[in-house]
């Protein structure tokens, strides 16, 4: 098509190219990968100085979005001709547009190597989605290049809304290409009911917020061919967050294994956040390759929502977290040991606390964790299920203060996921303001890791005494194990699940809410201050459930070094309270193991 519309689009293309070269800020510019910033500048230069009528032959286009015949083209074409609807559907659609001067394919001259690859990619998507492209009401193509896939989808019968997310000046180039190919897109940035439209990446969430006139969400397919693997990590995270929140029907991503980072690991991790709601698969891109063969370097990720399954509304409607724990610094066991050792040597206030699935339930209540799950862990800690909302809210705020004050946080190794018992901590720490990005993390099993590496011995070496806040009397055990001359013990009731107490004594402690209502205020207000007053800078080992995190904060505030060792106290006492390697050869809790020195 030529005429006023095409001329206007060409003028807009020139204007967009000049803006890019002039450094004029554009929407989402800060999120563009540096390598693609260079590509966009090269495209802008070619727009101004080369023949746009043959743009597919520009060197920068060959590097980025237009491939000719290459080693896999013949196999891709053979896969297409083997389709049962090749003659009726695919063959007519593979006639290339003359716009941009594409070089004809030697394998199939009516087409080009690039269009054959686009068609093969789309056919793979249809096979994974088990639906033709025209069965969807909306297609969102992230990084649509110059519009070749959009044109192909329309030739295959798609009649819904096709949204292309692109940066300038490529967005202006594809608008000109489509117009010259007989397809008139809506004004840039507009989201009509039907037809082709173009938007910047910053508008991605708005696309899914839009619904049909009857109030129903559009049946949507999200396509990203190579583009998502060529963005910054935070962009990928934000896109997957938006897709999970929108619960689109099908997600199709073709990615290269390496683009500054190991994309295979990135996309494998991303799948985990869609489990139980989506069917997922990752397979090689090249035709007829074994499922575990990624030698070519490109792979296909397919996610299809299972009919009737949806994420809970509270999870679906979450705003994106300001950052992810995966971007924070995670210390090794040896690095964590060095931090603790330095604090001891410098007599500097310090706290290491560890968070597990129990703390994650408290953090997630009430939006992501139901009351029954909180009641379960409350019973584990305190022996009863009667936690009032006010108590849980107080505990949340206290835990947030403790986390923000801690020098080192131990968190479970599971991938961040609010829906996962052990991934919830990592997901909620940054989302709900429990940490800054600069906070230091380590494995929640650091207390056992130090034991396995025999690092408690050098940690305590030369100390005249240490403090203990916990349920086990270790005043004789630790001197025998590590040669510490003196141990000062502030006892607390054990976690009732692991108490080993006779039922009558246990029931009495539960009725009195002995730990939360009695020992906690006594320790916080009198006994911990008195201990640190007697021994300034004391190293205090803490193993007292969720309240132990608050004891660590109190010790640090008073100038001590607090280390949350949790169930390590059971290991030292020779008691089996957990199912892992450190407890395999220990004896189960018996009545004589009771903590008897409670006031």
């Amino acid at each position: 098509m030529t005429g006023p519309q095409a001329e206007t689009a060409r003028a807009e293309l020139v204007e967009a190219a000049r803006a890019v070269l002039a450094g004029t800020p554009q929407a989402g510019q800060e999120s563009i990968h540096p390598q693609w910033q260079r590509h966009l500048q090269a495209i802008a230069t070619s727009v101004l100085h080369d023949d746009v009528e043959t743009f597919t032959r520009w060197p920068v286009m060959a590097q980025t979005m237009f491939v000719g015949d290459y080693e896999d083209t013949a196999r891709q074409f053979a896969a297409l001709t083997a389709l049962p609807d090749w003659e009726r559907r695919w063959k007519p659609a593979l006639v290339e547009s003359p716009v941009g001067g594409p070089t004809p394919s030697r394998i199939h001259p009516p087409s080009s190597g690039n269009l054959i690859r686009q068609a093969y990619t789309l056919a793979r998507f249809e096979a994974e989605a088990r639906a033709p492209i025209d069965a969807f009401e909306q297609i969102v193509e992230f990084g649509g290049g110059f519009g070749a896939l959009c044109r192909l989808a329309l030739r295959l019968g798609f009649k819904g809304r096709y949204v292309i997310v692109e940066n300038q000046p490529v967005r202006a180039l594809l608008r000109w290409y489509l117009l010259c190919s007989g397809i008139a897109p809506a004004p840039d940035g507009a989201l009509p009911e039907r037809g082709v439209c173009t938007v910047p990446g910053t508008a991605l969430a708005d696309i899914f917020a839009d619904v049909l006139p009857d109030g129903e969400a559009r049946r949507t397919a999200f396509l990203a061919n190579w583009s998502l693997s060529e963005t910054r990590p935070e962009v990928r995270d934000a896109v997957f967050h938006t897709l999970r929140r929108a619960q689109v029907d099908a997600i199709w991503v073709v990615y290269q294994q390496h683009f500054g980072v190991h994309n295979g690991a990135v996309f494998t991790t991303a799948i985990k956040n869609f489990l139980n709601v989506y069917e997922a698969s990752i397979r090689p891109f090249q035709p007829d390759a074994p499922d575990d063969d990624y030698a070519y370097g490109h792979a296909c990720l397919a996610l299809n929502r299972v009919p009737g399954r949806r994420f809970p509304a509270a999870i679906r409607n979450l705003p994106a977290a300001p950052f992810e724990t995966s971007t924070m610094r995670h210390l090794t066991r040896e690095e964590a040991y060095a931090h603790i050792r330095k604090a001891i040597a410098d007599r500097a206030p310090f706290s290491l606390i560890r968070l597990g699935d129990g703390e994650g339930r408290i953090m997630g209540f009430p939006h992501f964790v139901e009351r029954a799950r909180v009641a379960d862990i409350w019973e584990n800690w305190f022996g009863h299920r009667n936690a009032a909302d006010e108590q849980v809210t107080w505990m949340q705020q206290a835990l947030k203060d403790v986390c923000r004050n801690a020098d080192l946080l131990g968190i479970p190794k599971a991938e961040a996921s609010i829906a996962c018992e052990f991934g919830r901590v990592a997901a909620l720490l940054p989302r709900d303001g429990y940490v800054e990005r600069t906070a230091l993390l380590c494995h929640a099993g650091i207390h056992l890791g130090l034991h396995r590496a025999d690092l408690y011995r050098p940690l305590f070496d030369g100390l005249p005494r240490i403090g203990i806040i916990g349920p086990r009397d270790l005043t004789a055990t630790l001197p025998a194990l590590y040669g510490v001359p003196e141990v000062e013990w502030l006892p607390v009731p054990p976690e009732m699940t692991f108490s080993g107490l006779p039922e009558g004594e246990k029931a009495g402690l539960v009725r009195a809410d002995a730990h939360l209502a009695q020992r906690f205020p006594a320790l916080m207000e009198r006994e911990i201050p008195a201990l640190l007053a007697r021994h300034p800078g004391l190293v205090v080992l803490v193993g007292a459930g969720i309240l132990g995190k608050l004891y660590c904060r109190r010790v640090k505030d008073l100038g001590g070094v607090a280390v949350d060792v949790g169930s390590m106290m059971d290991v030292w006492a020779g008691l089996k309270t957990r199912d892992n390697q450190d407890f395999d050869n220990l004896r189960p809790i018996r009545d004589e193991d009771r903590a008897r020195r409670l006031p």
Side-chain angles (χ1 to χ4, degrees), residues 511-528:
R511 279 196 303 271
D513 208 358
H515 195 173
L516 185 58
Q518 296 181 11
R519 286 301 290 150
F520 177 72
L523 285 163
M524 295 291 281
E525 296 167 15
R526 297 189 305 276
E527 297 181 34
I528 295 176

Side-chain angles (χ1 to χ4, degrees), residues 294-306:
Y294 300 108
Y296 183 66
H298 294 171
C300 305
L301 163 63
L303 292 163
N304 297 307
R305 188 157 64 87
V306 178

Side-chain angles (χ1 to χ4, degrees), residues 59-335:
V60 65
M61 298 301 285
Q63 295 174 28
T64 56
M65 61 186 79
F66 190 93
V67 298
D69 290 335
Y70 69 115
E71 58 187 86
D72 278 332
T73 304
R75 286 197 293 163
Q76 292 169 4
F77 183 70
L80 290 170
T81 58
L83 295 173
D85 55 355
W86 159 251
E87 289 287 343
R88 175 185 62 80
R89 185 167 179 255
W90 290 94
K91 185 176 181 180
L94 267 178
V95 176
E96 182 62 280
S97 167
V99 179
T103 302
S105 168
R106 296 187 301 275
I107 297 165
H108 185 59
S111 191
S112 66
N114 187 71
L115 187 56
I116 290 170
R117 183 166 77 159
Q118 298 279 4
Y120 169 75
T121 304
L122 196 53
R124 286 285 304 275
F125 163 73
E126 290 189 343
E128 291 289 344
R130 296 187 290 276
I133 196 70
D134 57 341
F136 294 91
E137 296 163 310
Q138 177 173 247
I139 299 172
V140 178
E141 187 183 2
F142 184 87
F146 63 88
L149 189 67
C150 173
R151 174 180 173 272
L152 176 62
L154 268 57
R155 289 177 66 84
L156 288 170
F158 178 74
K159 293 182 172 58
R161 183 166 77 181
Y162 197 112
V163 186
I164 304 176
V165 181
E166 241 327 335
N167 296 307
Q168 294 287 31
V170 178
R171 194 162 76 249
L173 177 64
L174 76 87
R175 292 180 61 79
W176 175 80
Y177 169 83
L178 291 174
L179 274 167
C180 292
S181 297
I183 302 165
D188 191 36
L191 290 171
E193 290 295 322
R194 306 173 72 84
V196 178
C197 42
T198 56
V199 297
T202 52
L204 191 61
D206 297 334
I207 298 168
F208 301 112
D210 188 40
V211 297
L212 294 169
D214 59 6
E216 292 295 322
R218 301 168 188 268
R219 188 181 184 202
T220 297
F222 176 87
L223 312 178
N225 294 322
W226 291 277
S227 53
L228 201 56
S229 64
E230 298 177 359
T231 59
R232 293 180 182 271
E234 60 268 25
V235 175
R236 286 194 292 269
D237 292 342
V239 168
F240 276 117
H241 172 81
T242 299
L243 294 177
R244 187 165 181 243
R245 180 178 177 182
Q247 300 187 109
V248 299
D249 295 273
I251 299 169
W252 171 256
V253 177
V254 183
Y255 63 87
Q256 50 188 311
Q257 294 283 7
H258 294 279
F259 193 87
V261 299
H262 180 33
N263 279 314
V266 170
F267 290 110
T268 300
T269 297
I271 281 181
K272 297 177 181 178
N273 288 324
F274 289 83
L275 295 182
N276 301 321
V277 176
Y278 286 74
E279 293 179 346
S281 69
I282 292 181
R283 295 190 176 91
F285 174 72
Q286 63 269 37
D288 305 320
D291 282 353
D292 59 351
D293 179 11
Y294 300 108
Y296 183 66
H298 294 171
C300 305
L301 163 63
L303 292 163
N304 297 307
R305 188 157 64 87
V306 178
R309 294 187 188 175
R310 298 184 67 82
F311 291 111
I315 296 177
R316 183 177 72 246
N317 295 323
L318 283 177
F323 58 92
E324 301 292 336
T325 49
S326 60
T327 66
M328 299 170 65
R329 185 182 173 193
H330 291 248
L331 303 187
T332 65
R333 177 180 60 198
E334 289 69 23
E335 290 172 329

